[in-house]
Amino acid sequence: MASFKSIRSGDQEDRYRQFDQIIGRSAALEAVLEKVELVAPTTSTVLIQGETGTGKELIAKAIHNISPRYDRPFVKVNCAAIPLDLLESELFGHERGAFTGAISQKIGRFELADKGTLFLDEVGDIPLCLQPKLLRVLQEQEFERLGSTRTHRVDVRVVSATHRDLECMVRRSEFRGDLYYRLNVFPVQLPPLRARVDDIPALVSYFVDFYGRQIGKRVEQIPEETMLALRSYDWPGNVRELQNLIQRAVILSYDGVLQNPLPSNHLETVTVTSKSAALREVDRALILQALEAAGWMIGGPEGAAAKLGLKRTTLFYKMKKLGISRPAPTRRVGGAATALEPAESSSTL
């Protein structure tokens, strides 16, 4: 993800430096940043958990930035991106000749992060055979390089992150319990973007400006209906998905107007919510559009509920809440049209 400019509030100017890569002022994000401010000055290990694309690396960097180690190295390693047979060498280093292909000595990430912070991203992907050595360096702050008997001591603060459920992995014997408890001294749970709807306008504005300058396009207007659609979307890919879609929208924009980047079939992935009067109208319009497209058939594979990605009972509830009812058919009695409201029948739903 790109580096972000702060849109945090606060009276102290250095707070902008402390969180200079984080955008948002929602209550959900503020709760996370309050935890960051509490744990950063300590030496405790931190476990950041959250869905893919929620910005776990940004939070890890914020912890480092406002810790006493801020002027020391911040070293990152993605445990899922390194082949299993090379991960031990990447973390702890090796001596020349330690294995086939080790033609020179290598300094590992723990040594590089001495006196600073080591960020272990996707820590749930570390193989079981390597976990005892990681546990030892966390507890004793010492290790040996591959091919060496010399013990190296380091002073490293470890911050780890994962989208996996480590507690569940421990129960399935896929992750060591003692290592999990050592990593999970101070847990930080990041909210998904759908729980930070109030942050979406600020994120959209930032990405529009960022990619507009990068691509060389001037985007001056974000239509209200586009912003409402973005706020109503479920964002399974979180901020990373939003970032990529806004980049696409900027590329497609013309006459200084941002295009709606959501796919044409986004009705199938929209989570209908009613958090404001404007969103309520969007919800109502989406449901009516789906009902009309389905011929007011609610159930079944071609029904409105399926088109909206909702259960039939959920759609009934939302229709009642939004005051949506099936139009009454008419019949002619003596030349006059008479409206009939049929009794509701579950057999057509």
Side-chain angles (χ1 to χ4, degrees), residues 204-220 243 246-251 253 258:
V204 171
S205 296
Y206 172 77
F207 289 133
V208 166
D209 179 65
F210 179 84
Y211 289 113
R213 286 185 284 105
Q214 185 183 81
I215 296 169
K217 276 194 173 184
R218 190 177 181 86
V219 179
E220 299 174 330
Q243 177 182 356
I246 296 302
Q247 182 179 10
R248 179 196 305 171
V250 171
I251 293 172
S253 66
L258 186 74

Side-chain angles (χ1 to χ4, degrees), residues 151-323:
T151 298
H152 294 266
R153 294 196 60 82
V154 288
D155 175 15
V156 175
R157 199 254 184 94
V158 172
V159 177
S160 57
T162 182
H163 70 281
R164 295 174 177 266
D165 186 341
L166 294 187
E167 194 170 0
C168 185
M169 291 179 67
V170 169
R171 290 195 296 269
R172 296 197 303 261
S173 299
E174 296 173 355
F175 200 86
R176 288 181 64 105
D178 48 6
L179 177 58
Y180 167 66
Y181 299 128
R182 188 65 185 80
L183 292 170
N184 196 40
V185 172
F186 193 91
V188 175
Q189 183 71 41
L190 296 193
L193 185 57
R194 58 185 171 274
R196 297 173 49 197
V197 175
D198 292 341
D199 290 337
I200 289 177
L203 287 162
V204 171
S205 296
Y206 172 77
F207 289 133
V208 166
D209 179 65
F210 179 84
Y211 289 113
R213 286 185 284 105
Q214 185 183 81
I215 296 169
K217 276 194 173 184
R218 190 177 181 86
V219 179
E220 299 174 330
Q221 181 183 356
I222 303 175
E224 183 179 353
E225 57 270 23
T226 296
M227 186 63 76
L228 288 172
L230 294 173
R231 287 173 63 98
S232 298
Y233 185 60
D234 196 39
W235 298 111
N238 294 294
V239 178
R240 185 176 292 118
E241 182 184 10
L242 173 64
Q243 177 182 356
N244 294 335
L245 283 181
I246 296 302
Q247 182 179 10
R248 179 196 305 171
V250 171
I251 293 172
L252 295 174
S253 66
Y254 58 90
D255 294 334
V257 179
L258 186 74
Q259 297 296 298
N260 187 342
L262 293 172
S264 58
N265 64 340
H266 75 280
L267 276 176
E268 298 177 5
T269 53
V270 165
T271 297
V272 181
T273 58
S274 299
K275 296 184 178 178
S276 69
L279 284 178
R280 182 183 176 89
E281 290 306 311
V282 172
D283 297 344
R284 183 181 175 84
L286 290 174
I287 291 176
L288 283 171
Q289 181 180 345
L291 287 166
E292 290 169 1
W296 286 85
M297 181 172 65
I298 296 177
E302 300 299 323
K307 292 180 181 295
L308 289 166
L310 300 173
K311 293 181 180 179
R312 188 183 65 177
T313 53
T314 302
L315 181 54
F316 267 130
Y317 169 78
K318 292 182 180 293
M319 288 173 63
K320 182 177 180 181
K321 187 174 181 180
L322 294 169

